[in-house]
Amino acid sequence: MTRKERHVVPNKDGGWDSKRENAERASKHFEKKEDAMDWSREKSKSEGSELIPHKKDGTIQNPDSHGNDPNPPKDK
């Protein structure tokens, strides 16, 4: 089973986009990353997907799982 992912990525024209994995177009565009994260977190929870925010340079920053994580933390 593959996991679903939602990414918050910088837009080349400025601002931030919320995108589903492998999507060419953004689900929604935001001027501020904080707004993109808030909206994307709610969508991720309703979809049961992994939320993967990116930094301005494109690297991944603190992913957050809202679904069936195939590798849950062992300290539960």
Side-chain angles (χ1 to χ4, degrees):
M1 183 173 121
T2 61
R3 68 179 185 179
K4 296 183 211 171
E5 297 175 353
R6 176 162 295 278
H7 296 260
V8 174
V9 296
N11 184 293
K12 64 180 174 78
D13 297 325
W16 295 86
D17 292 336
S18 177
K19 299 172 84 171
R20 292 188 72 172
E21 63 183 315
N22 301 321
E24 290 185 30
R25 292 179 28 191
S27 299
K28 194 161 181 168
H29 176 78
F30 301 87
E31 292 302 317
K32 297 190 312 185
K33 184 176 184 179
E34 181 180 357
D35 295 336
M37 287 296 296
D38 290 344
W39 187 86
S40 297
R41 186 170 285 111
E42 291 305 313
K43 284 298 276 185
S44 180
K45 286 178 183 177
S46 70
E47 296 168 345
S49 63
E50 182 92 5
L51 177 60
I52 304 176
H54 294 254
K55 296 179 184 177
K56 279 204 178 249
D57 66 5
T59 58
I60 293 176
Q61 170 188 15
N62 302 328
D64 191 6
S65 181
H66 295 106
N68 296 323
D69 188 350
N71 298 308
K74 295 186 189 312
D75 62 349
K76 283 192 170 184

